[in-house]
Amino acid sequence: MKQVFDALRHHAATRPNDIAFEDDAGSVTWQCLASRVEHLARELDDAGAIVAIGLAGGIDYVVADLALSLCAKRQVPLPFFFSNAQNAHVLMDAGVGTVITNNPELFRALPRLKMVDAASIPSVTLTMRPYIGGAERVIYTSGSSGKPKGVVLGDRQLSASITALSNVVQADESDTHLSVLPLAQLLEQICGIFLPVVSGAKTVFRFEATKALFGAPIDPLVNAFEEVRPTTSLLAPAILSRWVDALEDRRASDSLRFVAVGGASCAPSLIGKAIAAGIPVHEGYGLSECCAVVAMNRPGDNYPGTVGAPLEGVQVTLDAGEIVVSGPTIMSGYLNRAAAPDVWRTGDMGHFDEGRLVIDGRKDALLVTGSGRNISPEWVEQRVNADPRVAGSALGLRQSDGALVLIVVAAAPVDMARIESHLTDLPLYARPEAVILADPSEPGLLYPAGTPNRTVVSELINTRPAVALATAAQRIAS
């Protein structure tokens, strides 16, 4: 993290009046940002060792994140998309004593917590202290059921990830990053805060665009790209699909030079449509346990269907098809559990194609049909997920007869013929025999990134009626 604060101090001294961050409420210059960070850090010096960030995003979040790092606290982001029960678990599990928030009413039920307002602006300009190191952050995995686990990351992991991703994105002072993903997610903390600070780029937050990730109208996101004219951004596949569909015959802003996509499997056909629409999409792969990114396609070396080569300094090997990662980005461990091993078994299956990593699916999600065929459900799901009407999908086996059944979570009406059209390039043995249509509000079915909760999927497939597809007879005959 030292490189972040060295860069912030440099920008504050050499470009004090340039805009660093902008959100729906206003903007902050580099000098004002450095002063606000120091001001909040002083207020937090005596706040205890563990502090949560209870903010949805924007400039206040940036100030809170940097201030907590500057004064060497352990910070715990509270995702606004977590349930009250999940965030209550996070607060208790992490031992949080202070929450930075602009809405203390959210935490009135926990009177033991101290509240700090991140929006306060110092009346005098303060000089930011040097970064001494030792800060940590705990990123809780976003389960929709059960209790999330806290991934502990510190200077070693973040510094290595920032350096490696800086070499991929190659941003500079001329860049503008449009931040869409929630800042409580580690990947957006790196790409929406740290990389822009290191490079001197400007970052713009548009919360209405962020809401589109959770089913809100797509127009604010489309408008944000047209009005802000960013050069870089980071998206999830589902929102990319909706954006491409909303563009229709138009092209995206010609200002864009690098758009990363990750968090879930992305169909090569969707990437092809996005590139044809003028969106320079580069798919990557990673997980919080490995500090967000393991591999990434690069400008000039972008191969849809792969997630690119491993990041510099990150070693990726395969053990019986399972992706194994080693290097400086491996987490310290899960909070309140044993330290992490030096080599992290991801649970994801993959293979290499000329040095570029290809993700085949989750090891524990592999389906074995009655005919002995091994099917990665992601292989089927990504084709359906490329449809902008689909918020997510999940393939599973019905216990009563061994049939492949596909759950389609439809954000808008979609007929069976359209669903079937997305599956025509699959071999018959991998095509679902039946479909269950589900609503995005189905409890616990999808995680925030759009990936399915396999436990809930199995329950629905084995208890809910399904509609047979027209090709089911073909599949059985084969």
Side-chain angles (χ1 to χ4, degrees), residues 439-457:
D439 189 89
S441 63
E442 184 82 43
L445 180 56
L446 295 180
Y447 294 117
T451 53
N453 182 328
R454 301 289 175 188
T455 301
V456 177
V457 167

Side-chain angles (χ1 to χ4, degrees), residues 4-150:
V4 174
F5 290 94
D6 286 348
L8 178 53
R9 189 174 292 103
H10 172 76
H11 301 320
T14 61
R15 309 164 53 207
N17 299 318
D18 287 355
I19 300 299
F21 291 87
E22 176 188 313
D23 64 15
D24 298 313
S27 61
V28 63
T29 64
W30 289 109
Q31 183 182 57
C32 183
L33 175 63
S35 179
R36 284 189 61 182
V37 167
E38 174 61 27
H39 178 86
L40 184 57
R42 293 186 185 188
E43 188 172 350
L44 293 167
D45 278 336
D46 299 324
I50 307 169
V51 181
I53 302 179
L55 299 165
I59 293 171
D60 289 348
Y61 192 107
V62 174
V63 172
D65 186 302
L66 294 175
L68 286 168
S69 298
L70 187 62
C71 61
K73 303 293 184 181
R74 171 178 280 180
Q75 66 170 271
V76 183
L78 299 175
F80 70 83
F81 49 83
F82 269 20
S83 68
N84 290 337
Q86 285 177 315
N87 276 326
H89 164 73
V90 169
L91 291 167
M92 296 297 293
D93 187 60
V96 171
T98 301
V99 177
I100 302 173
T101 181
N102 51 21
N103 189 2
E105 291 299 322
L106 292 175
F107 305 97
R108 290 298 184 200
L110 299 168
R112 66 177 182 82
L113 293 175
K114 176 184 176 182
M115 305 295 167
V116 174
D117 185 0
S120 60
I121 300 174
S123 57
V124 295
T125 299
L126 301 176
T127 300
M128 193 177 68
R129 72 188 74 172
Y131 179 67
I132 61 173
E136 290 182 329
R137 65 194 57 222
V138 183
I139 305 298
Y140 277 81
T141 56
S142 54
S144 61
S145 63
K147 296 180 178 179
K149 293 184 294 186

Side-chain angles (χ1 to χ4, degrees), residues 137 139 151 153 157-158 161-162 165 181 185-191 194 234 261-264 284-296 311 314 325 329-331:
R137 65 194 57 222
I139 305 298
V151 174
L153 301 162
Q157 294 88 356
L158 287 163
S161 185
I162 292 166
L165 284 170
L181 299 187
Q185 294 184 342
L186 175 63
L187 186 53
E188 194 62 43
Q189 292 165 23
I190 294 172
C191 294
F194 307 142
L234 169 64
V261 62
Y285 160 77
L287 56 166
S288 296
E289 289 84 349
C290 299
C291 207
V293 182
V294 168
M296 175 68 73
L311 295 186
V314 176
V325 182
T329 61
I330 303 298
M331 68 174 179

Side-chain angles (χ1 to χ4, degrees), residues 79-344:
F80 70 83
F81 49 83
F82 269 20
S83 68
N84 290 337
Q86 285 177 315
N87 276 326
H89 164 73
V90 169
L91 291 167
M92 296 297 293
D93 187 60
V96 171
T98 301
V99 177
I100 302 173
T101 181
N102 51 21
N103 189 2
E105 291 299 322
L106 292 175
F107 305 97
R108 290 298 184 200
L110 299 168
R112 66 177 182 82
L113 293 175
K114 176 184 176 182
M115 305 295 167
V116 174
D117 185 0
S120 60
I121 300 174
S123 57
V124 295
T125 299
L126 301 176
T127 300
M128 193 177 68
R129 72 188 74 172
Y131 179 67
I132 61 173
E136 290 182 329
R137 65 194 57 222
V138 183
I139 305 298
Y140 277 81
T141 56
S142 54
S144 61
S145 63
K147 296 180 178 179
K149 293 184 294 186
V151 174
V152 182
L153 301 162
D155 281 329
R156 173 174 62 87
Q157 294 88 356
L158 287 163
S159 293
S161 185
I162 292 166
T163 297
L165 284 170
S166 292
N167 292 336
V168 171
V169 180
Q170 297 182 343
D172 59 30
E173 296 178 9
S174 67
D175 279 296
T176 297
H177 179 79
L178 178 59
S179 179
V180 175
L181 299 187
L183 282 177
Q185 294 184 342
L186 175 63
L187 186 53
E188 194 62 43
Q189 292 165 23
I190 294 172
C191 294
I193 301 177
F194 307 142
L195 293 186
V197 170
V198 168
S199 65
K202 175 183 175 181
T203 297
V204 178
F205 302 103
R206 290 290 182 266
F207 193 59
E208 290 301 317
T210 299
K211 289 180 181 178
L213 290 163
F214 304 92
I218 193 66
D219 288 348
L221 182 138
V222 176
N223 294 338
F225 275 97
E226 293 176 353
E227 294 167 6
V228 175
R229 291 184 55 81
T231 56
T232 67
S233 193
L234 169 64
L235 300 173
I239 203 70
L240 174 65
S241 176
R242 293 179 64 199
W243 182 21
V244 171
D245 184 64
L247 286 172
E248 296 179 335
D249 296 328
R250 295 175 294 162
R251 287 179 61 81
S253 170
D254 59 8
S255 63
L256 288 166
R257 66 171 188 82
F258 184 88
V259 176
V261 62
S265 179
C266 193
S269 61
L270 173 57
I271 294 178
K273 290 177 183 176
I275 291 173
I279 306 171
V281 175
H282 298 73
E283 187 176 10
Y285 160 77
L287 56 166
S288 296
E289 289 84 349
C290 299
C291 207
V293 182
V294 168
M296 175 68 73
N297 277 290
R298 278 82 159 164
D301 187 33
N302 191 17
Y303 285 79
T306 82
V307 293
L311 295 186
E312 182 179 349
V314 176
Q315 293 79 50
V316 177
T317 58
L318 300 174
D319 183 1
E322 182 180 5
I323 299 169
V324 180
V325 182
S326 59
T329 61
I330 303 298
M331 68 174 179
S332 301
Y334 290 120
L335 186 66
N336 302 324
R337 304 189 185 197
D342 294 334
V343 176
W344 187 253

